[in-house]
Amino acid sequence: MKLFKSILKFFKFFYESYYPFKTNRYYFAFIVHPRNVNDARRELPFFKYFPDKLLEIIINNIPPLIVSRITGLKSIHTNREIFGCMVSINLLPEKMLKNRNLAIKKIVKAINISKRHGVRIIGLGALTSSVSMGGKMLLDKVKDVHITTGHAYTAYNIVSILLSIVEKFGLERNKLSVGVVGAAGSIGSTCSKLLAKDGFKNFILIDVERKIDRIKELLIPELRDISPNELNIKITSDIQEIKNCHFVITATNAPETIIKPEYLSEGTIILDDAQPSDVDPSVLEKDNIIVIEAGLVHTPQIHTHFNFGFKDKYDNYSCLAEILILSAIDYNDHFVIHRANLEAIDKIKEWAKQLNFRPAEFQNFKEVISEEKLNRVVSIITKKIK
């Protein structure tokens, strides 16, 4: 029976998306894609009978589909419920990065499907933002709809998690070393600026070789302007430099894991915002290293009706939360295109408070992080910085 229901669900996605007389009216849409074949199997169990290679081909050739109805959001002005939808473009990360033109075509098609259902504002999730240059490549291809990347609220939540640990244990910011993997990107660069603003001094900024000049020419001058005191910054393309960090923020668009256990020293806390994850699953088995899925926020009463695999049914991605916030306040313009600025972050964090959104409980796809493990790892950090 479960198998039969999942097959019916698959065909329902097509009906919801393409039936010409369907009258569902949505205010917002969140554009997503499967991170791997297991995402598809979790949502549609009948896919478990397909081998990986065949399922990859099937997923990459399915057109964009509305895969869920988002409920529970209410306008802060009228208290009326605002409905949204989640639309999957159905491309796996490797395919998106190898064929960006195809990815853009599917994103545009997903947006046009959304518009036919009444959508007025679009949130870009996971790699749909990076392959479209933070939405810049979409502006001349879609009309009468507004776009945001989710980068402002995501960066704010990542830094909020790091700050909450630092403040809880009384760690001295000027003694901590923070590694940022993907420092040239929107999330990585914005987190770096927020941390410099909050008094952190020691940074190891890491990205691929071709992006190093972008860090030197764009990010470094901004960091120097933000922090009135001297910063200790190392710029490198060698990811093994994270061995010298106490905290690591990782936010790349790599289709495969890049952070291996041998690159890490004990007493490291990793804030992983990459989708798919940058962190090799074997790292999660380490007792003296913590990996936190950093882009999660608790959104009370919001039902996505989609199985992301989070520990609480009201936990959602920060980039989704950003579109929820903008919809609730009836925001009527593009919000964050390409890169977030600190002004946008100041706005979104205040609006989020009105909806009682907050960082989710510390977790990753293996476990909820226990107080015992947090205490153990932070105690190692404390000994290192004495």
Side-chain angles (χ1 to χ4, degrees):
M1 181 59 71
K2 186 176 181 181
L3 177 64
F4 179 68
K5 285 184 177 178
S6 73
I7 294 172
L8 285 180
K9 187 176 186 179
F10 182 56
F11 286 104
K12 184 182 177 183
F13 290 163
F14 281 89
Y15 174 78
E16 292 284 343
S17 305
Y18 294 103
Y19 186 59
F21 304 110
K22 194 69 179 165
T23 58
N24 279 348
R25 305 298 291 177
Y26 300 117
Y27 184 89
F28 64 92
F30 183 55
I31 310 297
V32 298
H33 62 83
R35 296 166 296 182
N36 49 53
V37 293
N38 290 326
D39 274 356
R41 289 180 176 132
R42 186 175 59 247
E43 187 64 21
L44 297 168
F46 78 91
F47 277 146
K48 70 182 180 181
Y49 297 102
F50 294 78
D52 285 0
K53 290 298 182 182
L54 176 59
L55 187 50
E56 288 174 8
I57 293 170
I58 292 171
I59 290 171
N60 287 330
N61 285 279
I62 294 173
L65 296 171
I66 295 175
V67 294
S68 79
R69 179 177 172 87
I70 301 172
T71 62
L73 180 67
K74 292 187 177 181
S75 166
I76 64 170
H77 302 299
T78 66
N79 205 39
R80 294 182 63 180
E81 188 165 9
I82 301 168
F83 297 104
C85 62
M86 195 178 314
V87 188
S88 175
I89 67 167
N90 298 317
L91 275 182
L92 292 166
E94 296 86 350
K95 188 74 169 181
M96 293 178 70
L97 295 173
K98 288 179 181 176
N99 192 339
R100 291 179 181 243
N101 288 335
L102 176 60
I104 293 295
K105 287 179 181 178
K106 282 205 168 188
I107 294 169
V108 170
K109 188 169 185 179
I111 292 173
N112 287 332
I113 291 170
S114 305
K115 286 172 59 180
R116 288 199 295 271
H117 287 75
V119 164
R120 295 167 56 186
I121 188 165
I122 298 284
L124 299 176
L127 294 183
T128 65
S129 175
S130 60
V131 299
S132 64
M133 295 181 62
K136 285 176 68 175
M137 296 175 67
L138 303 173
L139 297 182
D140 62 347
K141 293 178 172 63
V142 294
K143 304 297 180 184
D144 304 319
V145 67
H146 298 122
I147 295 171
T148 193
T149 60
H151 291 168
Y153 197 49
T154 298
Y156 168 72
N157 273 288
I158 294 169
V159 171
S160 293
I161 291 170
L162 195 157
L163 288 175
S164 71
I165 296 171
V166 168
E167 292 169 1
K168 178 177 181 176
F169 292 94
L171 301 175
E172 296 181 62
R173 301 179 190 196
N174 63 342
K175 293 184 178 180
L176 292 169
S177 177
V178 181
V180 183
V181 183
S186 179
I187 297 296
S189 62
T190 305
C191 287
S192 301
K193 288 184 281 188
L194 287 172
L195 289 170
K197 183 180 178 183
D198 277 306
F200 289 81
K201 305 299 179 189
N202 306 303
F203 295 91
I204 299 179
L205 304 179
I206 304 168
D207 218 313
V208 293
E209 187 64 40
R210 62 186 171 83
K211 295 183 179 180
I212 293 299
D213 284 345
R214 192 184 306 173
I215 296 174
K216 292 178 179 177
E217 296 169 8
L218 299 178
L219 179 56
I220 295 302
E222 291 182 297
L223 293 176
R224 301 291 186 198
D225 286 341
I226 289 169
S227 178
N229 300 313
E230 185 174 350
L231 297 175
N232 177 25
I233 300 173
K234 182 172 185 177
I235 304 168
T236 180
S237 60
D238 182 5
I239 195 168
Q240 297 193 50
E241 285 289 339
I242 60 176
K243 190 179 286 288
N244 300 310
C245 299
H246 307 110
F247 289 88
V248 175
I249 294 170
T250 183
T252 80
N253 62 1
E256 70 288 323
T257 58
I258 58 174
I259 295 181
K260 311 296 182 182
E262 60 267 26
Y263 302 164
L264 300 160
S265 58
E266 64 174 19
T268 303
I269 297 177
I270 302 170
L271 306 175
D272 181 17
D273 181 58
Q275 295 296 334
S277 173
D278 278 338
V279 182
D280 190 276
S282 60
V283 176
L284 290 106
E285 304 301 325
K286 299 291 184 180
D287 289 334
N288 51 18
I289 293 169
I290 287 176
V291 180
I292 300 172
E293 190 161 358
L296 299 188
V297 62
H298 188 67
T299 56
Q301 308 307 313
I302 307 299
H303 295 268
T304 62
H305 303 282
F306 192 87
N307 185 8
F308 283 120
F310 301 145
K311 308 306 178 185
D312 190 292
K313 65 180 180 181
Y314 295 130
D315 289 348
N316 284 302
Y317 289 115
S318 297
C319 46
L320 170 56
E322 184 167 293
I323 195 70
L324 294 171
I325 295 164
L326 296 176
S327 299
I329 68 167
D330 194 24
Y331 194 82
N332 194 32
D333 201 350
H334 301 307
F335 185 61
V336 173
I337 299 293
H338 193 39
R339 292 177 182 269
N341 56 45
L342 299 186
E343 181 183 1
I345 292 171
D346 287 339
K347 289 178 180 178
I348 200 76
K349 72 179 184 182
E350 292 303 319
W351 294 332
K353 291 176 184 176
Q354 299 179 59
L355 296 171
N356 295 316
F357 288 3
R358 63 182 185 276
E361 186 177 10
F362 296 170
Q363 62 187 272
N364 53 50
F365 55 81
K366 175 179 177 285
E367 62 182 352
V368 172
I369 310 302
S370 67
E371 279 292 313
E372 187 274 333
K373 185 171 186 178
L374 184 61
N375 288 331
R376 181 170 65 251
V377 173
V378 171
S379 70
I380 298 172
I381 295 175
T382 302
K383 291 176 183 176
K384 284 183 176 182
I385 63 177
K386 277 186 177 178

